[in-house]
Amino acid sequence: ALLYLWRVAKRFEEVGEDTVMPLLAAEGIIPLAISFLHAYHSSLAREVQMAGCMFLSASFDAEDARKLPQESNAKLREFMPLLLEQLNLGASERRQLRPLFDELRRGG
């Protein structure tokens, strides 16, 4: 599921962020992705962990995604810094994940 969401996120600009983001919000996809990563990140392959992080990063790059429910916000801040550290990111990956890092710095 996270690999699919990342593939969708890569096409946000092509499809139209204004079209995709309201659908993701209506279905609660971003909080679901956060909950899934929170619960299972330690048992996922690095590729899937990265796909989840890339999806979240692309989502946070969109204005509408910054309005997370309190519970999702807490989960994100609880496990994401540790996961990002464990991924041992290269410079290119860090650049791609900048919106996610910015969201974590913002503190919700």
Side-chain angles (χ1 to χ4, degrees), residues 49-69:
Q49 292 172 336
M50 276 301 297
C53 290
M54 296 295 279
F55 166 72
L56 291 174
S57 187
S59 298
F60 290 132
D61 202 25
E63 292 296 317
D64 293 344
R66 296 194 184 128
K67 302 170 192 118
L68 287 174

Side-chain angles (χ1 to χ4, degrees), residues 18-104:
D18 297 346
T19 302
V20 178
M21 291 310 293
L23 296 172
L24 293 176
E27 297 299 324
I29 300 298
I30 296 168
L32 284 173
I34 291 170
S35 291
F36 185 83
L37 272 171
H38 180 263
Y40 300 107
H41 69 274
S42 61
S43 62
L44 297 173
R46 185 183 192 279
E47 175 188 20
V48 179
Q49 292 172 336
M50 276 301 297
C53 290
M54 296 295 279
F55 166 72
L56 291 174
S57 187
S59 298
F60 290 132
D61 202 25
E63 292 296 317
D64 293 344
R66 296 194 184 128
K67 302 170 192 118
L68 287 174
Q70 183 75 23
E71 182 182 345
S72 296
N73 229 324
K75 284 181 182 178
L76 183 71
R77 278 144 186 60
E78 178 185 319
F79 81 95
M80 189 55 70
L82 179 61
L83 174 60
L84 291 170
E85 185 178 313
Q86 289 173 350
L87 286 172
N88 196 19
L89 301 169
S92 173
E93 292 171 324
R94 289 185 87 67
R95 277 191 300 278
Q96 289 178 300
L97 293 175
R98 181 166 184 158
L100 178 57
F101 282 108
D102 291 347
E103 178 65 23
L104 291 170

